[in-house]
Amino acid sequence: MPLAKDVARTVAENNGVCIRPVPVKRVDLVTGDAEIIDVPCGHTLASVCPACAERKRRLRLAQCREGWHLTDEPILDADPPTDEHQRLVEERADLTAARDELAANGLDTANVDELINGCDDAMAKAGVRGSIDPVKTKRRTRSTRRRQDTPDLPRRPVDKRTVGKTFTGNDGRTFRPSIFLTLTCDTYGRVRGDGTPVDSSTYDYVRAARDALHFSKLVDRFVQNLRRFLGWEVQYFATVEPQRRLAPHVHMAIRGTVSRAELRQVAAATYHQVWWPSTDIVRYQGADVPVWDAETSNYCDPITGEVLPSWDEALDDLDADPDAEPLHVVRFGPQIDAQGVVAGSEDANRCLRYLAKYLTKSIADCHEPETDAQKAHVDRLCDALRYEPCSSSCANWLRYGIQPDNPRDGLRPGYCKSKAHRRQHLGYAGRRVLVSRKWSGKTLGDHKHERKAWVLAQLERSGVPATHDDNDPGRYAWAAVNPSNPEVAPLEHRILRAVAKRHEWRTQMELAQRRADGQPDTDLSATGLAA
């Protein structure tokens, strides 16, 4: 016999209710009333919360659908600054001048720095994006000469146009096609149909791990080259997922049409160089690892006590070597798939479903290993990723005798906490969904509010009283609540309450649709909502 808790969880999943609701306290600033309500967890993985993951997936589908076949340029004009914005910036200017004066005289600037941070937080809460005074970091310049083993690309001035060209058919109809593109990594050795290598001893797991770590940079460089090559701001909606051989590949919905020959030319000429210190020689392994010196805040050799070279010193040595080579060069493989898609066609719907096919799964769960060979393939890749540096601040640099950027106590090679080293990510720790800035002219939050506004408009037009929470940010104040608080109901009770609320909303929507279609609503009289 099933457990009651399992049945409640199944019912919640079937009704699209979050199974991990987060309790928060909402205080009405007008009336002073306070109540504890549940907020969906908003997780993107179905293994954690199926309802929230499916809701996120549908929202991404709506975002992709709306921006893919635009016929007009999206409006991206920012709102003019308010008086409050200008007042905060003027206050920030006075604080900056005061800090500069203290620093010039060699005085302590801690108090002024605290005021500056508070002013920056106030500007962010007021709706000012970005930083008004970004911190300057040391920028290293390298030769921009293209590699000799890569074909050159012509470079054109980039026009501000983001919408594709319109074509006229023989029958006089006009259409504006778009592109669905798939790009993959290069080969690391022959593989079977299940993704496992034919010869695991010759399969290049190190290059596979490095390609996965830096794949997102390669995608960015491809888009940059494509825009410079075509001469207009190509817009895209892309998702990253693994192939059966566990190498990442990207699916891109590109607005406008591009010839397949041009796409192949740009992909062949795209690469990303990783200018990091060499990792050919392993200097520390096993229990013999560098130790932390609290007095100097540096890592030292465990035997001689010599301070290891810092990250900047290692890069300085790399810059000083005229014969230095990049640690790794990431490229796309020769296999490229590009399909023309017309708005409203079945191909467009099929591509949309394919883009969101694996969005609710982690990288490792997209192709779960079933055979011993597949499990061994995953283990070999994870072993290669364990000691491969993922960033400048990765703890694995200690293994090669270099202090990572911004070192701190507790770092140990092979135990970096970055997502890239976790088994469920398989080396790719970037964003699963990549969207260009001018895709639809709206943020993901804008699309979410539009969907909610449409539902409320349908209910109001049909005369159905909508029972929804008024989430006016200017009226309410929010505070986190510990789930162990006695005022918070048990989790199962909160889930049942959410299911009942979802039934009520669904009944309201069905009644609104009946009235919009001119059908009688007597069947819903038992709910108390029918007239």
Side-chain angles (χ1 to χ4, degrees):
M1 298 177 64
L3 293 176
K5 293 182 179 181
D6 295 339
V7 176
R9 179 190 177 100
T10 303
V11 170
E13 294 176 358
N14 295 337
N15 285 270
V17 172
C18 175
I19 61 175
R20 300 170 63 249
V22 180
V24 293
K25 178 175 289 187
R26 186 179 67 177
V27 181
D28 193 327
L29 301 179
V30 178
T31 63
D33 297 335
E35 61 176 338
I36 296 178
I37 63 175
D38 288 329
V39 177
C41 66
H43 212 282
T44 57
L45 296 182
S47 59
V48 179
C49 182
C52 289
E54 178 62 21
R55 195 176 298 114
K56 295 285 186 180
R57 189 187 71 88
R58 291 182 179 275
L59 190 61
R60 286 296 189 182
L61 276 175
Q63 182 186 29
C64 181
R65 183 183 295 107
E66 185 165 341
W68 198 359
H69 305 285
L70 283 182
T71 57
D72 299 320
E73 294 290 342
I75 300 176
L76 298 172
D77 296 335
D79 297 333
T82 63
D83 294 339
E84 178 66 13
H85 296 161
Q86 300 181 46
R87 184 191 67 79
L88 290 172
V89 172
E90 291 176 356
E91 180 181 347
R92 180 67 160 77
D94 295 336
L95 292 173
T96 303
R99 189 194 185 284
D100 293 342
E101 183 177 355
L102 291 175
N105 296 329
L107 300 178
D108 186 17
T109 61
N111 294 333
V112 181
D113 290 338
E114 185 176 353
L115 294 175
I116 288 177
N117 293 333
C119 187
D120 290 343
D121 294 340
M123 285 192 295
K125 292 180 180 179
V128 179
R129 296 182 298 164
S131 175
I132 196 173
D133 186 18
V135 178
K136 292 185 179 180
T137 58
K138 184 178 180 181
R139 183 177 181 182
R140 298 181 180 272
T141 58
R142 303 189 185 276
S143 174
T144 57
R145 184 178 61 182
R146 291 188 62 81
R147 297 180 60 90
Q148 298 300 316
D149 56 355
T150 304
D152 199 1
L153 283 176
R155 182 169 178 174
R156 303 179 177 90
V158 180
D159 189 13
K160 297 299 182 181
R161 175 175 62 89
T162 66
V163 178
K165 294 182 180 180
T166 302
F167 298 89
T168 303
N170 296 330
D171 54 357
R173 294 188 303 174
T174 60
F175 58 97
R176 196 188 304 267
S178 295
I179 292 293
F180 182 76
L181 175 67
T182 301
L183 298 172
T184 64
C185 289
D186 204 354
T187 180
Y188 314 114
R190 293 181 57 193
V191 295
R192 301 184 180 89
D194 60 353
T196 59
V198 175
D199 186 1
S200 59
S201 62
T202 60
Y203 193 84
D204 198 343
Y205 281 99
V206 174
R207 194 159 66 91
R210 293 177 178 177
D211 280 358
L213 289 170
H214 305 284
F215 185 74
S216 58
K217 300 289 184 62
L218 183 64
V219 175
D220 292 340
R221 186 58 56 88
F222 171 78
V223 174
Q224 184 184 64
N225 289 342
L226 185 62
R227 289 172 175 172
R228 292 175 177 176
F229 178 75
L230 297 177
W232 54 283
E233 292 188 358
V234 178
Q235 300 299 300
Y236 63 93
F237 180 100
T239 59
V240 179
E241 62 187 46
Q243 295 178 290
R244 285 197 174 274
R245 58 173 179 153
L246 306 183
H249 70 307
V250 60
H251 301 294
M252 305 183 71
I254 299 178
R255 185 191 306 155
T257 183
V258 184
S259 69
R260 291 178 175 83
E262 291 176 329
L263 291 173
R264 292 191 180 94
Q265 184 178 355
V266 174
T270 299
Y271 62 89
H272 172 67
Q273 300 184 114
V274 183
W275 286 98
W276 282 352
S278 175
T279 58
D280 294 337
I281 301 177
V282 177
R283 301 186 182 276
Y284 303 96
Q285 57 183 340
D288 183 23
V289 296
V291 295
W292 174 257
D293 185 2
E295 294 183 1
T296 61
S297 297
N298 287 305
Y299 278 93
C300 305
D301 187 281
I303 299 177
T304 65
E306 182 181 359
V307 177
L308 299 184
S310 66
W311 175 254
D312 289 333
E313 291 173 349
L315 292 186
D316 290 338
D317 294 341
L318 185 65
D319 294 339
D321 186 2
D323 299 327
E325 293 290 335
L327 174 67
H328 184 62
V329 180
V330 195
R331 303 176 187 272
F332 287 117
Q335 196 172 16
I336 297 176
D337 182 46
Q339 304 176 21
V341 180
V342 179
S345 64
E346 179 57 32
D347 287 340
N349 296 329
R350 177 180 55 83
C351 291
L352 284 172
R353 293 191 297 268
Y354 201 77
L355 280 168
K357 182 178 180 180
Y358 296 111
L359 286 185
T360 60
K361 295 184 177 181
S362 63
I363 291 288
D365 292 338
C366 293
H367 305 289
E368 296 184 5
E370 297 177 354
T371 64
D372 293 338
Q374 290 176 328
K375 295 177 182 179
H377 182 48
V378 176
D379 293 339
R380 288 286 300 273
L381 180 60
C382 292
D383 290 340
L385 286 167
R386 179 178 180 181
Y387 293 106
E388 192 66 36
C390 63
S391 65
S392 60
S393 59
C394 181
N396 288 335
W397 285 115
L398 296 175
R399 175 180 170 89
Y400 308 103
I402 300 173
Q403 294 193 72
D405 196 15
N406 298 321
R408 62 191 182 278
D409 188 14
L411 299 182
R412 186 180 175 187
Y415 294 91
C416 179
K417 296 182 179 180
S418 172
K419 295 193 304 181
H421 300 284
R422 299 176 187 174
R423 192 181 185 91
Q424 61 265 34
H425 293 281
L426 297 180
Y428 181 80
R431 293 176 289 116
R432 297 286 303 278
V433 179
L434 309 172
V435 187
S436 54
R437 296 182 181 275
K438 299 181 180 180
W439 177 253
S440 62
K442 304 172 187 176
T443 64
L444 197 62
D446 295 335
H447 291 283
K448 180 179 179 180
H449 290 304
E450 283 187 353
R451 292 165 65 87
K452 178 179 178 180
W454 180 85
V455 173
L456 296 179
Q458 297 297 317
L459 296 176
E460 183 179 1
R461 187 179 299 111
S462 302
V464 179
T467 58
H468 66 283
D469 295 328
D470 185 7
N471 295 327
D472 183 8
R475 179 174 178 177
Y476 297 99
W478 304 82
V481 179
N482 194 319
S484 61
N485 192 311
E487 298 180 5
V488 179
L491 176 61
E492 291 74 18
H493 182 79
R494 289 153 53 201
I495 290 178
L496 294 177
R497 188 166 53 194
V499 171
K501 178 67 70 174
R502 180 56 58 92
H503 286 170
E504 184 179 358
W505 290 348
R506 184 173 295 134
T507 302
Q508 292 172 354
M509 198 60 195
E510 291 177 357
L511 179 57
Q513 293 175 351
R514 283 176 174 272
R515 292 181 177 179
D517 297 338
Q519 299 179 5
D521 50 9
T522 54
D523 296 342
L524 302 177
S525 58
T527 63
L529 295 174

